[in-house]
Amino acid sequence: MELICPAGTPAALRAAVDAGADAVYCGFRDETNARNFPGLNFSRAEMAEGVAYAHARGAKVLVAINTFPRAGQLGLWHGAVDDAVAAGADALILADVGLIAYAAECHPAQRLHVSVQAAAANPDAIAFYVEAFGVKRVVLPRVLSVPEIAAITRAAACETEVFVFGGLCVMAEGRCSLSSHATGQSPNMHGVCSPASHVSYRDDGNTLVSRLGDFTINKFAKGEPAAYPTLCKGRFRTGIGAGYIFEEPVSLDAAEMLPGLKKAGVTALKIEGRQRGRAYIASVVASFRAALAALEAGRPITGAGLTAMTEGQTTTVGAYRKTWR
Amino acid sequence: MELTLGPVLFNWQADDWRDFYFRIADDAPVETVVIGEVVCSKRMPFLARHLPAVAERLAAAGKTVIFGSLALVALERERRQMEELAKSEDLTVEANDVSALRHLAGRPHAIGPFVNIYNEATAAFFASRGARRMCLPPELPAASVAAIAAGVPDVTVEVFAFGRVPLAISARCYHARLHKLTKDNCRFVCEKDPDGLAVETLDNEPFLTVNGVQTLSHTVMNLVGDIDLLRSAGVGALRLSPQCCDMVAVARLFRDVIDGRREAGEAEAALAEVYPGAVFANGFVHAESGVRRVGA
């Protein structure tokens, strides 16, 4: 199985390649990619240099252009596709049907992957993209159990890629407007979720209150670690009960699922975290490289030991285990 | 400008569901009605026994009847059910996932608000494969709606104009989770909340609404004051999403404003009486946070 690693900066790209990534995914420094955070991402020149660095070491570069182009302003997204192809990208990771159609028509030789943001969660959805555009791989949404991934991979006419580590969307990706509802900034349109520009903290003496836009997302007692106020991982109140009603501030760690994912026929394993620094990239990549080596050699996979690296410092295998639902 | 009644998103008792549509057939001034379960496949068997009678009654009343497909298709059983629905050539189907679009290509169909149509290129692609109606994602601003409508002049472009806004869908059932049950053994606890389960912040601010695997806004989208804006954007139909209030009265108020028989401000005040406690919002269409109310 290929190991696909995130890079938010050229330095992170080099760190990922040096640590043994089979491929690195990254995006341009604008709203064409779903990690449109200040200080992150690649200029056109940096992308070309990154591709050269990776190719010289036998690694691939996948360029994510996975927001949904704004109506009436398609040029920015078309330009990103053209420039990624020109930079020598090994594949483009796309979510929007119109943009995939553009890439397939204008760059018929370019390898295309369907982004997780397209939420292709079943064989018919995957077949839609394969038949219409000849896509070569689909990144599966994090809503499926391992047996379901196996069934989909068997039925799919293209390769499948799944997330194994990092931030965990509990909602079907690409189909969530929670951030947009509270802040006006959406993953699909602006490439951000629960953006830092809309986050504030208030110290109420014994309690730290985290807010997103005009809403309280969580409250922490003195000494309790304060998680970032990602909307779906806050504490809320209902008539039935209060607490983390959607999900706790946990991250995904599916290292223990690697044997099952291999048996399922999955082609590639993806690590989330283009917003994370070089040290994170290097140690997560090295750890999964070791886990994959153990898997190949038939040795048991010890826990990745990366809990300290995760947001919230707690991990889950998420939907890969059916009881999560 | 037409009116469409969207599918009931909540888990209503099957008999209530049937009676609701019978009254819509008899009294509501809407041209199109979308029926069927689009949120959770586990609810489908309960509605199935009333579905033919409801479709027949609506059609006899002159409504165009469209069958909505599931928004999230993950299980093999769901995939087969949706394939069967999409291949029923005597039905008009509204696709809420691209998997249904695979089977609908080449014949007239509708696309619901759960399929991502954010721009004119995507809309044109789907139109070229037979989409005749498109209800756009609720978070789209009016400028995007206008650019899309201009790009597909032969398509009826619809916007989500009334009701709690569907914001997210998940593999996990939050109703079951709150009741300490699993999704597979959920005991259909979502039926206890026919208008959704209110979610407040820890500071008691109303925020969201849980409906099984779906999360909606607490605020109620209300675009009755934006009808002129939407008309000039090329919108051909407004979608009214069923809530636990008098939806016939809601449809009449929207119809009155569309036809120029009533001022928007007066209709908005009347809607507040029809749906007591509803907090209206229209931020999305004005490119602001969805919770905002602009121009009231």
Side-chain angles (χ1 to χ4, degrees):
Chain A
M1 289 184 286
E2 291 174 30
L3 194 55
I4 315 293
C5 306
T9 61
L13 180 145
R14 292 191 295 272
V17 169
D18 294 348
D22 296 302
V24 174
Y25 66 102
C26 47
F28 290 121
R29 192 174 295 142
D30 56 36
E31 59 200 300
T32 62
N33 84 83
R35 287 288 183 280
N36 179 25
F37 299 162
L40 276 194
N41 298 314
F42 289 64
S43 70
R44 265 51 178 176
E46 287 166 347
M47 188 65 81
E49 288 161 19
V51 169
Y53 186 89
H55 284 180
R57 288 153 186 83
K60 293 176 179 154
V61 174
L62 319 179
V63 179
I65 307 170
N66 57 347
T67 50
F68 293 82
R70 191 160 44 252
Q73 297 174 36
L74 305 180
L76 181 65
W77 281 264
H78 290 175
V81 165
D82 298 343
D83 292 346
V85 173
D90 295 281
L92 309 185
I93 307 171
L94 308 174
D96 178 63
V97 165
L99 195 63
I100 301 175
Y102 172 84
E105 190 183 327
C106 297
H107 305 284
Q110 179 66 51
R111 185 181 169 93
L112 304 179
H113 293 180
V114 177
S115 168
V116 69
Q117 297 297 114
N122 63 71
D124 282 333
I126 295 166
F128 168 86
Y129 292 104
V130 172
E131 290 161 3
F133 310 116
V135 302
K136 295 291 191 288
R137 183 183 295 177
V138 59
V139 185
L140 295 177
R142 281 161 276 194
V143 299
L144 301 162
S145 67
V146 172
E148 284 161 9
I149 289 169
I152 287 172
T153 301
R154 268 197 306 277
C158 69
E159 302 164 356
T160 59
E161 176 173 316
V162 300
F163 279 91
V164 289
F165 193 84
L168 173 73
C169 278
V170 298
M171 308 300 183
E173 297 95 334
R175 312 181 87 176
C176 180
S177 305
L178 287 171
S179 174
S180 181
H181 180 66
T183 72
Q185 298 287 303
S186 98
N188 285 2
M189 294 195 292
H190 308 97
V192 293
C193 172
S194 307
S197 54
H198 289 67
V199 168
S200 61
Y201 294 91
R202 191 180 74 221
D203 193 343
D204 278 1
N206 285 326
T207 313
L208 183 68
V209 181
S210 65
R211 287 172 67 84
L212 181 70
D214 296 331
F215 297 98
T216 293
I217 301 300
N218 213 334
K219 292 188 175 189
F220 305 95
K222 259 210 161 57
E224 190 183 0
Y228 185 87
T230 304
L231 203 160
C232 59
K233 299 188 187 92
R235 268 187 283 220
F236 302 106
R237 189 171 284 150
T238 74
I240 300 165
Y244 293 106
I245 68 166
F246 302 111
E247 180 57 289
E248 287 156 39
V250 294
S251 291
L252 176 70
D253 181 357
E256 63 178 277
M257 296 297 189
L258 293 185
L261 293 170
K262 185 183 181 196
K263 203 178 291 175
V266 166
T267 298
L269 307 173
K270 185 165 216 161
I271 293 166
E272 186 275 346
R274 281 193 274 155
Q275 70 283 14
R276 307 296 297 267
R278 237 177 353 173
Y280 167 91
I281 306 281
S283 69
V284 175
V285 174
S287 165
F288 271 88
R289 195 78 267 168
L292 282 173
L295 182 65
E296 294 303 325
R299 296 194 307 270
I301 294 176
T302 50
L306 294 165
T307 304
M309 304 296 296
T310 62
E311 291 168 47
Q313 308 204 348
T314 324
T315 63
T316 174
V317 293
Y320 294 145
R321 192 168 286 139
K322 203 175 170 200
T323 49
W324 181 83
R325 292 171 182 165
Chain B
M1 191 180 263
E2 296 179 1
L3 288 176
T4 298
L5 187 76
V8 173
L9 299 175
F10 304 97
N11 186 4
W12 289 4
Q13 295 296 319
D15 290 353
D16 295 346
W17 185 86
R18 175 200 58 199
D19 295 346
F20 168 77
Y21 282 112
F22 283 1
R23 178 151 185 258
I24 292 293
D26 293 347
D27 295 331
V30 299
E31 283 76 14
T32 303
V33 182
V34 184
I35 58 174
E37 175 61 44
V38 307
V39 174
C40 178
S41 66
K42 292 188 69 177
R43 303 171 182 170
M44 290 166 69
F46 301 106
L47 304 186
R49 81 192 145 97
H50 292 314
L51 206 52
V54 162
E56 195 177 312
R57 179 84 162 249
L58 288 165
K63 314 295 187 200
T64 299
V65 179
I66 297 181
F67 291 77
S69 82
L70 275 177
L72 181 62
V73 179
L75 307 178
E76 179 56 22
R77 166 177 58 79
E78 296 167 344
R79 195 195 65 76
R80 281 197 308 270
Q81 285 171 319
M82 290 305 105
E83 180 176 1
E84 191 184 330
L85 172 69
K87 286 182 170 170
S88 307
E89 302 220 346
D90 49 335
L91 306 179
T92 302
V93 174
E94 178 169 275
N96 284 310
D97 183 65
V98 291
S99 54
L101 288 171
R102 183 191 181 206
H103 304 300
L104 289 166
R107 65 189 176 90
H109 60 269
I111 298 181
F114 303 100
V115 171
N116 284 337
I117 301 177
Y118 278 85
N119 55 65
E120 63 275 28
T122 299
F125 178 84
F126 288 139
S128 75
R129 292 166 57 106
R132 292 291 170 267
R133 309 180 61 91
M134 299 177 190
C135 183
L136 300 178
E139 73 172 2
L140 274 182
S144 290
V145 173
I148 291 167
V152 286
D154 298 331
V155 169
T156 301
V157 168
E158 184 171 312
V159 298
F160 192 97
F162 182 87
R164 298 191 199 277
V165 185
L167 296 173
I169 193 148
S170 174
R172 174 178 263 183
C173 177
Y174 302 113
H175 254 102
R177 180 170 153 87
L178 273 162
H179 285 271
K180 304 199 188 316
L181 299 166
T182 64
K183 185 179 172 190
D184 288 343
N185 182 23
C186 68
R187 297 184 211 159
F188 303 96
V189 285
C190 56
E191 72 184 5
K192 295 177 183 180
D193 299 298
D195 215 28
L197 175 67
V199 176
E200 293 183 348
T201 70
L202 295 181
D203 283 325
N204 307 311
E205 308 145 305
F207 189 19
L208 300 169
T209 300
V210 161
N211 172 37
V213 294
Q214 185 180 56
T215 305
L216 304 96
S217 61
H218 166 76
T219 49
V220 174
M221 179 83 93
N222 181 358
L223 302 186
V224 80
D226 299 294
I227 286 176
D228 288 342
L229 170 73
L230 297 169
R231 194 185 267 126
S232 64
V235 170
L238 302 181
R239 172 162 303 210
L240 313 177
S241 189
Q243 299 291 157
C244 288
C245 65
D246 184 350
M247 291 303 296
V248 170
V250 171
R252 285 179 178 152
L253 288 163
F254 271 83
R255 172 54 59 205
D256 282 354
V257 176
I258 289 169
D259 293 346
R261 280 192 303 273
R262 201 188 277 262
E263 293 294 325
E266 188 193 331
E268 182 133 349
L271 283 166
E273 285 181 27
V274 169
Y275 196 6
V279 178
F280 294 136
N282 63 349
F284 280 141
V285 80
H286 296 281
E288 297 211 17
S289 310
V291 298
R292 293 263 157 81
R293 187 173 177 189
V294 176

